[in-house]
Amino acid sequence: MGKGRLEAFSDGVIAIIITIMVLELKVPHGADWAALKELVPVFGSYVLSFIYVGIFWNNHHHMLHASSVVNGRVLWANLHLLFWLSLLPFATGWMGENEFAPLPVALYGAMLFMCAAAYTLLEKSLIAINRHDAVLGQAVGKEVKGIASVVLYLLAIPAAYLHVWISFALYALVALLWFIPDRRIEARLRD
């Protein structure tokens, strides 16, 4: 099967996810700095989640660009990823509304972990179906950043109960690891 419908559907779902997140930002009930200050946790959660959704979208785009075909397994793996990404607005809103309480911060880490696991499953499914051209498989190689991300997410979940800022530091570290798009696929496509 061609990949066009999968790309279009994924882009649409991701656009809706971002729309839902931005709709959670409520207009302050005041015209002073104090009114804005109350929104800092909600806005901070939104910014972090927007960056994460952007990272997943960017890498998803590169991964599909390096693939020539999809199959039913890939379609289901992609839906699995989109399912976990679609829960990020809930985790984001809950975390921001509760001013970074430990349970919402831990749940946020669990959502990110599940997104990473689903992304890995999609990546492996695409590599398996696109073996004949092997661009994606050769580009991915050793998943050092992917493994590091999963480990950091797993550490961040219990760390939320020690101090939520430890979890945030770990979430920010993973975002920094991935903020610059993964150049391995682009480099492999130029070869």
Side-chain angles (χ1 to χ4, degrees):
M1 289 184 265
K3 59 186 179 176
R5 290 191 67 204
L6 179 126
E7 288 175 304
F9 179 73
S10 299
D11 287 348
V13 170
I14 290 171
I16 291 168
I17 290 168
I18 289 174
T19 302
I20 291 168
M21 286 189 325
V22 78
L23 290 174
E24 287 294 317
L25 296 176
K26 304 297 181 212
V27 176
H29 297 290
D32 57 1
W33 290 110
L36 281 177
K37 186 179 178 187
E38 292 176 18
L39 295 178
V40 168
V42 174
F43 185 70
S45 298
Y46 169 77
V47 169
L48 183 63
S49 292
F50 186 91
I51 290 169
Y52 265 111
V53 171
I55 288 167
F56 276 104
W57 175 79
N58 196 322
N59 287 303
H60 184 269
H61 169 75
H62 281 85
M63 184 168 54
L64 287 174
H65 187 71
S67 304
S68 52
V69 294
V70 298
N71 62 6
R73 179 179 173 194
V74 169
L75 295 177
W76 281 109
N78 192 66
L79 282 172
H80 184 233
L81 171 61
L82 294 175
F83 171 78
W84 291 107
L85 285 173
S86 74
L87 291 176
L88 274 179
F90 168 77
T92 301
W94 195 34
M95 187 170 61
E97 288 294 322
N98 291 289
E99 299 181 7
F100 309 125
L103 180 58
V105 172
L107 178 77
Y108 187 78
M111 293 293 113
L112 291 174
F113 170 79
M114 293 307 298
C115 288
Y119 182 89
T120 301
L121 180 66
L122 175 59
E123 183 179 74
K124 300 297 181 207
S125 299
L126 282 165
I127 289 170
I129 191 70
N130 287 282
R131 262 191 209 133
H132 63 279
D133 57 18
V135 172
L136 183 60
Q138 292 170 358
V140 169
K142 294 182 181 176
E143 270 296 324
V144 176
K145 283 193 331 185
I147 293 168
S149 300
V150 167
V151 169
L152 292 172
Y153 292 145
L154 289 174
L155 290 173
I157 295 168
Y161 295 99
L162 296 173
H163 200 291
V164 294
W165 295 112
I166 296 170
S167 296
F168 268 103
L170 294 172
Y171 300 150
L173 178 60
V174 175
L176 284 172
L177 284 173
W178 290 100
F179 192 74
I180 297 172
D182 198 340
R183 303 271 189 237
R184 295 176 298 173
I185 293 174
E186 288 178 0
R188 195 50 136 156
L189 288 170
R190 281 192 297 261
D191 291 346

